[in-house]
Amino acid sequence: MNNRFLLTALALSLSTSAWADFTATPEEARGIAKEAYLYGFPVVEMYKTLYTQAIDRKSPNFKAPLNQIGNTAKAFTAKDTAFVTPNADTPYSFVWMDLRTEPIVLTLPPIEEHRYYSVQLIDAYTQNFAYLGTRSTGNNGGHFMIAGPNWQGQQPVEMDRLLRSESNIAYALYRTQLFDEKDLAKVKQIQKGYKVETLSHYVKQKAPPAAPKIDWPKPLPTMSDTPDLFRYLNFMLSFAPAQDAEKDLLARFAKIGIEAGKPFKLHDLSVEQRQALEDGISDAKAEFAQFKKDKVDTHQITSGDVFGTRDHLNGNYLYRYAGANMGIFGNSAEEANYIGYFVDKDGQPVDASKHDYTLHFDKGALPPADAFWSLTMYDGKNKLLVANPLNRYLINSRMLPDLKLDADGGLTLYVQNKAPAKEFQNNWLPAPKGPFYGVLRLYLPKPEVTSGQWQMPLLTPVNSQ
């Protein structure tokens, strides 16, 4: 009898311990999990990229350790899988910054005026907190200091600009325009001029004491689609001090065990509790699917709505989720405009196993951009570039001299799986034999894009199979 009493008491104790971190009722937990999933998904997707590019040295996508730069001296191809919907026009450089002890100094070289380049500065929430480069700081180069939220030091007088991240882990994503294959050597030379150093190294002073060593959790295959996500969210939130505007939201998240730096005890939860979390995640995915169908596919919501600063997003976590889900690390509206082609002119999902398509620009109505424009093809299943016999992943404005114009001076592009007639092959953008989507990027878009004066053309199906 005493043994049975002790076992019962122990079971109650364990149950109470689990509930101590999980205080929501199952019904309440489902609603919180939906909110937390939309909120946390971009953060966790960012962690996946951080881990593969800067932590896991055995990863084929490893670029450089923290606070060092990794250059990709080639355009992205179908073999690159580090993140979805990559841009194949501008070879990337990557810097994952650990800002816990001191700022990082990014030095940019001067480059020729007609070449576009940018450094997109992204915090742990995938928010673009600042830019360097052609639009924002010009092509003359300079020294730029990136500081974390807690740094209290003095900005050196020779520093061109001080920029603050609200998180202690931040990402600098460089894009350098590549004109063509012959231009690759020049891009490599520019990339060699991108320098990264700690502030203490830059000013030739003693470095501050090292920050505690980080125990980086290894990513799981299920981490973005199941309650496992909340464990990685807790880890990443430890690098991002709570913002005043989000304290009530984070207090609500704590009712299901989401707290910065704390372990998320998924295995301690009851079957009912876990089901509540899974149901909440399903609710979030369903809301996004409906949002994408109603707002994104119909172009009522643009890329400029879902990418930007915290102030720009203004607490709209569905928008932030949408950006991370469809093309993480997208540019803010003033830097680039993205037009997604997910459906045809009749509102039907595009599928190159069922149709060939054309995209027609009237004479004088090519995409208006001060830098350049580009239409890139992606596989609808894995969101990566599409392998094809031409190794052609895009058609852009630099290729115009080689494209065949229509008799009236317009331009028709052929978006299909099999090659068109020989005279149209320069205008062919190869698609996979199945679902796909295209992204039309306009770098430094002109005012008529944001005002709606320029009307984007729609994909037109030309045959059924």
Side-chain angles (χ1 to χ4, degrees), residues 64-87:
L66 292 171
N67 298 339
Q68 296 182 37
I69 190 165
N71 295 307
T72 302
K74 65 181 183 65
F76 267 44
T77 72
K79 295 180 181 179
D80 294 287
T81 61
F83 50 84
V84 298
T85 319
N87 159 17

Side-chain angles (χ1 to χ4, degrees), residues 346-417:
D346 301 317
Q348 297 302 308
V350 288
D351 187 325
S353 68
K354 299 178 180 178
H355 298 284
D356 293 342
Y357 300 87
T358 60
L359 188 67
H360 174 75
F361 298 92
D362 290 337
K363 182 179 180 180
L366 289 173
D370 283 329
F372 67 96
W373 61 263
S374 168
L375 177 66
T376 308
M377 171 64 61
Y378 300 98
D379 190 304
K381 296 177 181 177
N382 60 23
K383 303 180 183 178
L384 301 174
L385 297 171
V386 176
N388 65 84
L390 299 182
N391 292 323
R392 179 185 295 162
Y393 308 106
L394 56 85
I395 290 178
N396 65 26
S397 51
R398 295 282 306 183
M399 298 164 66
L400 280 172
D402 297 321
L403 301 181
K404 180 180 177 63
L405 297 180
D406 302 332
D408 64 359
L411 174 66
T412 300
L413 303 181
Y414 297 86
V415 180
Q416 55 195 63
N417 178 249

